[in-house]
Amino acid sequence: MNLSHPLSGATLARFRGLLDPALRDAVSVLDPWGERMAAFALGWSDTDGGPHGGVGGGFGGVGGGADRATGGGTTDRGAGSGTNGISRGDGGKGVRPALALLSAEAVGAPAESALPGAVAVELVHAFSLAHDDIIDRDELRRHRAALWKAYGVGPALLTGDALLALAVSQLAGRPEAMPYLSAALIELVQGQSADMAFENRPWKGPGEVGIDEYAEMAAGKTGSLLGAAAAAGVALGGAPELADPMWAMGRDLGVAFQIVDDMLGIWGDPRVTGKPIYSDLRHEKKTLPVLAALADGGSAARELSALLAAGTTDEESVRHAAHLVEEAGGREKSQALADRYVETALSVIDEHLPSATELRTLCNSLVHRVN
Amino acid sequence: MNLSHPLSGATLARFRGLLDPALRDAVSVLDPWGERMAAFALGWSDTDGGPHGGVGGGFGGVGGGADRATGGGTTDRGAGSGTNGISRGDGGKGVRPALALLSAEAVGAPAESALPGAVAVELVHAFSLAHDDIIDRDELRRHRAALWKAYGVGPALLTGDALLALAVSQLAGRPEAMPYLSAALIELVQGQSADMAFENRPWKGPGEVGIDEYAEMAAGKTGSLLGAAAAAGVALGGAPELADPMWAMGRDLGVAFQIVDDMLGIWGDPRVTGKPIYSDLRHEKKTLPVLAALADGGSAARELSALLAAGTTDEESVRHAAHLVEEAGGREKSQALADRYVETALSVIDEHLPSATELRTLCNSLVHRVN
């Protein structure tokens, strides 16, 4: 299985042909200045407004058309901070619209029927990256300057608002899908807020972050938009009765995705993930492998706890901390938890949409990836 | 007519009794940290979470309940920058939800029917103020620290996003009203964007800001949310066929409101408006009185043009510029244009809702105000 492009070439080309013009149409209502910033936020252009090498309209870093296909999927590997949900690299790029379109096809509708939902979730994703980079002061995104770094905080903030407004307008007249997008917006904000709040909480002792809290944060920050994509897809495809289970499916899938993202931050190949090794550990982020290791209570966990309490700033302690996380079972437990969430998610598809093989493949690929 | 409180005491109390609990209910889904920031953004509390003296849930600076009514409407006079649409003072406070509720009553429905719309527009207003203050680096809002100044840029940005998400959720399942809120969101962003772009354009010559462009900016920045309030009000009240005319009515009303706001910034009493005199002139904002004066072409206009080109930084030139704006007819022309927009707005009410006297009074009061 091709992990970077779990969809077949034909499906990918078909979806790209739908999504690209629809996204461009959506942002065309902005003034030229706003449109240029939106194009940059969506990865279509550089700061000068010229096309960004080899990056298409959202599917896996593949060029938007044959004339721009040079560069393939290689120039857009993520330099995300890991704080933004599905943002690390190609593994997540374009997955939300694909999930919406495949969900419509899974209920027997043409992919086109879910296009407003696909456009909406991609716009919300771009909105959340634009704002998260301001909040987290991340200067890099996908090996380029973050939007705020390229255009300033005020314009980047406003562009994020514009992307969100355009997303809402896609589904404003579709009450069968809009409530899921709306719920995802609230959960996104709540998840980001929880993630920020975690930073000020201790590793161990009173106020420590529990694994349940982590899962709730990840379901909001990473899962809710996947849930909205899947729910909007089936609802717009004519099966609103499946929207609730698909919403739950997407949220569970998102938790698994976030756990895998956390794991790749420690045990992934930085040349493949595009993210500096151990950067979450260095920034003392409350990732699942560390939380799971600390919960173990054995001698490695106690040593890890003491190391983290002292601060893991130098390279040697960061490397040692990563070693202790694995020794205390953090890797094993994280994988087990990710597997459990994926199983729960896939069981929804197996129960309600047993013949949706492409949808199942896409979901599966999100958690069996290397970047 | 009481300009600060154009609604009768009974109507005001009735609306407050509806809106206050609904707004509090809406923000209660946030985590405690987010809820506290939202409460601050909505003017209910100080940074420590305690009640803010005499400020209620949105109607005219009157206390939210009898137990908190001390201070009346006097502590909340606006210190807005004039860049945020209806933000200068009490004149605009609470007008959006009142417009929604009165619009529902005007079509014979109970005010309650428009409550989700009233809550939504008030939340969007709070969202826009939170983000605008970050964009404009305004440190003060309603005589208090701006949200970002009190809690930091990241948390304030996220709180703005949360308020917007909550607003959307109010109408997510109401396709008769949601498209108007959605359109207002896009226009708000476009209006704010245009206002920012105006700052980099010359006073005269190629690239100068035309009066038509000003009106379009004001319709977006200030009018669109009034339009959404009125349109949602009649649509939720069971008369969706009146939503389009009421949307246009609100946008026109907003242009008039913005013109009056600009005029108060030059000829208003700073003790009443709560805003330093000439602050727009000092910040070289493209306000209508100045644009209208420059368009005059006479000797005062030419002198004004030269003065603005040289930069109006010292107090003496600012005072002289204000004098020249009036001499070149800027005041007279602004009043005439505001009157024209109000007339157009009121003609919609007169045509479609001739017996809606309270609604007419509210709209009229917005442009015949002193603060």
Side-chain angles (χ1 to χ4, degrees):
Chain A
M1 183 171 62
N2 182 333
L3 291 173
S4 294
H5 305 300
L7 302 184
S8 74
T11 302
L12 201 64
R14 198 160 46 83
F15 283 3
R16 207 159 55 219
L18 283 175
L19 187 72
D20 245 28
L23 269 173
R24 287 180 192 276
D25 191 48
V27 301
S28 70
V29 308
L30 300 176
D31 62 86
W33 192 40
E35 197 178 350
R36 175 184 284 205
M37 287 188 285
F40 184 87
L42 287 159
W44 298 337
S45 67
D46 290 319
T47 38
D48 62 3
H52 184 57
V55 180
F59 287 109
V62 175
D67 56 331
R68 296 198 287 109
T70 47
T74 59
T75 59
D76 196 43
R77 297 204 181 275
S81 69
T83 63
N84 300 305
I86 299 177
S87 63
R88 195 182 297 277
D90 286 339
K93 195 162 190 303
V95 69
R96 293 165 206 76
L99 193 53
L101 300 176
L102 280 178
S103 294
E105 292 193 332
V107 297
E112 287 85 332
S113 61
L115 197 51
V119 170
V121 292
E122 191 67 358
L123 291 170
V124 169
H125 179 53
F127 141 79
S128 75
L129 299 185
H131 280 193
D132 286 358
D133 285 344
I134 296 172
I135 293 168
D136 298 336
R137 294 171 210 219
D138 282 331
E139 300 189 356
L140 278 178
R141 162 76 52 195
R142 297 176 185 159
H143 287 304
R144 300 185 305 162
L147 188 67
W148 69 269
K149 195 72 187 164
Y151 293 98
V153 168
L157 194 168
L158 201 56
T159 300
D161 290 345
L163 292 165
L164 180 53
L166 294 173
V168 169
S169 79
Q170 291 288 319
L171 298 175
R174 306 298 297 263
E176 71 277 35
M178 188 68 220
Y180 296 96
L181 188 74
S182 168
L185 293 176
I186 293 174
E187 291 209 0
L188 262 179
V189 172
Q190 293 287 84
Q192 172 71 6
S193 181
D195 202 28
M196 281 169 69
F198 285 178
E199 288 174 24
N200 299 316
R201 288 170 58 180
W203 284 105
K204 284 297 281 183
E208 70 184 27
V209 177
I211 287 173
D212 286 355
E213 282 180 283
Y214 169 93
E216 199 187 317
M217 178 278 292
K221 197 181 71 164
T222 311
S224 63
L225 204 49
L226 291 173
V234 295
L236 295 170
E241 71 282 5
L242 292 182
D244 278 349
M246 290 297 270
W247 161 257
M249 188 282 293
R251 286 179 90 250
D252 283 336
L253 194 63
V255 177
F257 190 102
Q258 186 59 53
I259 295 172
V260 172
D261 212 54
D262 285 358
M263 292 175 70
L264 287 170
I266 304 179
W267 299 290
D269 181 344
R271 288 166 304 180
V272 181
T273 64
K275 179 174 169 174
I277 188 96
Y278 302 146
S279 105
D280 287 346
L281 269 174
R282 205 171 292 115
H283 293 104
E284 303 186 5
K285 277 203 66 79
K286 303 281 187 310
T287 62
L288 185 72
V290 183
L291 297 176
L294 288 171
D296 176 73
S299 66
R302 284 195 303 274
E303 192 183 342
L304 177 64
S305 177
L307 189 62
L308 292 170
T312 51
T313 44
D314 65 294
E315 281 312 293
E316 186 46 43
S317 1
V318 167
R319 229 190 316 270
H320 189 49
H323 172 75
L324 290 169
V325 169
E326 185 152 10
E327 204 177 308
R331 183 174 194 167
E332 208 178 329
K333 283 201 261 179
S334 296
Q335 189 62 59
L337 196 62
D339 288 346
R340 226 176 65 202
Y341 273 96
V342 175
E343 274 163 35
T344 310
L346 292 179
S347 72
V348 173
I349 298 179
D350 293 342
E351 183 188 342
H352 297 285
L353 302 163
S355 53
T357 46
E358 273 197 307
L359 180 63
R360 202 181 197 285
T361 302
L362 177 71
C363 294
N364 218 0
S365 75
L366 286 181
V367 286
H368 295 104
R369 60 197 171 94
V370 293
N371 67 341
Chain B
M1 183 169 63
N2 182 332
L3 290 173
S4 294
H5 305 301
L7 302 183
S8 75
T11 301
L12 201 66
R14 196 159 47 83
F15 283 2
R16 207 161 53 219
L18 284 175
L19 187 72
D20 246 27
L23 269 173
R24 287 180 192 277
D25 191 47
V27 301
S28 70
V29 306
L30 300 176
D31 62 85
W33 193 40
E35 197 178 349
R36 175 184 284 205
M37 286 188 285
F40 185 85
L42 287 158
W44 297 336
S45 67
D46 290 319
T47 39
D48 62 3
H52 184 57
V55 180
F59 286 109
V62 175
D67 54 331
R68 297 199 284 111
T70 46
T74 59
T75 59
D76 196 44
R77 298 205 179 272
S81 69
T83 64
N84 299 306
I86 300 178
S87 63
R88 194 183 298 276
D90 286 338
K93 195 162 189 300
V95 70
R96 292 164 207 77
L99 194 52
L101 300 176
L102 280 178
S103 295
E105 292 193 332
V107 297
E112 287 86 332
S113 60
L115 196 52
V119 170
V121 293
E122 190 68 358
L123 290 170
V124 169
H125 179 53
F127 141 79
S128 75
L129 299 185
H131 281 192
D132 286 356
D133 284 345
I134 296 173
I135 292 167
D136 299 335
R137 293 170 209 219
D138 282 331
E139 300 189 357
L140 278 178
R141 162 75 54 195
R142 296 176 185 159
H143 287 303
R144 300 186 303 162
L147 188 66
W148 69 269
K149 196 71 187 164
Y151 293 98
V153 168
L157 194 168
L158 201 57
T159 300
D161 290 346
L163 293 165
L164 179 52
L166 294 173
V168 169
S169 78
Q170 290 288 318
L171 298 176
R174 307 298 298 263
E176 72 276 35
M178 187 68 219
Y180 296 96
L181 188 73
S182 168
L185 292 177
I186 293 175
E187 292 209 0
L188 262 180
V189 172
Q190 293 287 82
Q192 172 72 5
S193 181
D195 202 29
M196 281 169 70
F198 286 179
E199 289 173 24
N200 299 315
R201 288 170 59 180
W203 284 106
K204 283 298 280 181
E208 70 184 28
V209 177
I211 287 174
D212 286 355
E213 284 182 279
Y214 169 93
E216 200 187 316
M217 178 279 292
K221 198 180 70 164
T222 311
S224 63
L225 204 48
L226 292 174
V234 294
L236 295 170
E241 72 281 4
L242 291 183
D244 278 349
M246 289 298 270
W247 161 257
M249 188 283 292
R251 285 178 91 251
D252 284 334
L253 193 63
V255 177
F257 190 102
Q258 186 59 54
I259 294 172
V260 172
D261 212 54
D262 286 359
M263 293 176 70
L264 287 171
I266 303 180
W267 300 290
D269 181 344
R271 288 166 303 182
V272 181
T273 64
K275 180 175 167 174
I277 188 96
Y278 302 147
S279 105
D280 288 344
L281 270 174
R282 205 171 290 115
H283 293 105
E284 303 185 3
K285 277 203 66 78
K286 304 282 186 309
T287 60
L288 186 72
V290 182
L291 296 176
L294 289 171
D296 175 72
S299 65
R302 284 195 303 276
E303 191 183 343
L304 177 64
S305 179
L307 188 63
L308 291 170
T312 50
T313 43
D314 64 291
E315 281 312 292
E316 184 47 40
S317 358
V318 168
R319 228 190 317 269
H320 189 48
H323 172 76
L324 290 169
V325 169
E326 185 151 11
E327 205 177 308
R331 184 175 193 166
E332 207 177 328
K333 283 202 262 178
S334 296
Q335 188 63 58
L337 197 63
D339 288 346
R340 226 175 66 204
Y341 274 96
V342 175
E343 273 163 35
T344 310
L346 293 180
S347 73
V348 173
I349 298 178
D350 292 341
E351 183 188 341
H352 297 285
L353 302 162
S355 53
T357 46
E358 272 197 307
L359 180 62
R360 203 181 196 285
T361 302
L362 177 71
C363 294
N364 218 359
S365 74
L366 286 180
V367 284
H368 295 103
R369 59 197 171 94
V370 292
N371 67 341

